[in-house]
């Protein structure tokens, strides 16, 4: 795991979401170089994956807390 990936893995959902919004805004404005654009894109992908991890985990918790429906 790279240092960047470890950093993203430690973020809360809100932190990852807020940074992802910032990264997307920067990409929409256009980074000065292709290398910077690729760095931002890679960071954005990692942040989006982290947000998805949180959302999938939350869905699992909700599904587990919901009583099983009786088969009719």
């Amino acid at each position: 795991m790279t240092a960047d990936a470890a950093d993203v893995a430690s973020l809360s959902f809100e932190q990852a979401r807020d940074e992802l919004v910032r990264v997307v805004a920067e990409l929409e404005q256009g980074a000065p170089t292709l290398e910077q654009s690729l760095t931002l894109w890679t960071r954005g992908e990692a942040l989006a994956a982290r947000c998805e991890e949180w959302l999938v985990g939350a869905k699992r918790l909700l599904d587990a807390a919901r009583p099983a429906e009786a088969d009719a």
Side-chain angles (χ1 to χ4, degrees):
M1 182 180 287
T2 66
D4 250 4
D7 172 48
V8 170
S10 69
L11 296 177
S12 70
F13 173 78
E14 291 79 8
Q15 291 169 322
R17 179 204 58 214
D18 291 348
E19 188 177 343
L20 180 56
V21 168
R22 183 191 60 76
V23 166
V24 169
E26 277 191 61
L27 284 168
E28 287 175 340
Q29 291 175 357
T33 67
L34 177 59
E35 184 177 334
Q36 289 171 329
S37 292
L38 290 173
T39 299
L40 285 169
W41 180 270
T42 302
R43 180 74 176 179
E45 288 286 321
L47 291 164
R50 180 64 177 152
C51 288
E52 186 172 0
E53 287 174 14
W54 274 107
L55 292 172
V56 167
K59 183 179 183 324
R60 281 190 194 121
L61 287 173
L62 290 172
D63 288 347
R66 193 174 310 160
E69 294 183 27
D71 290 326

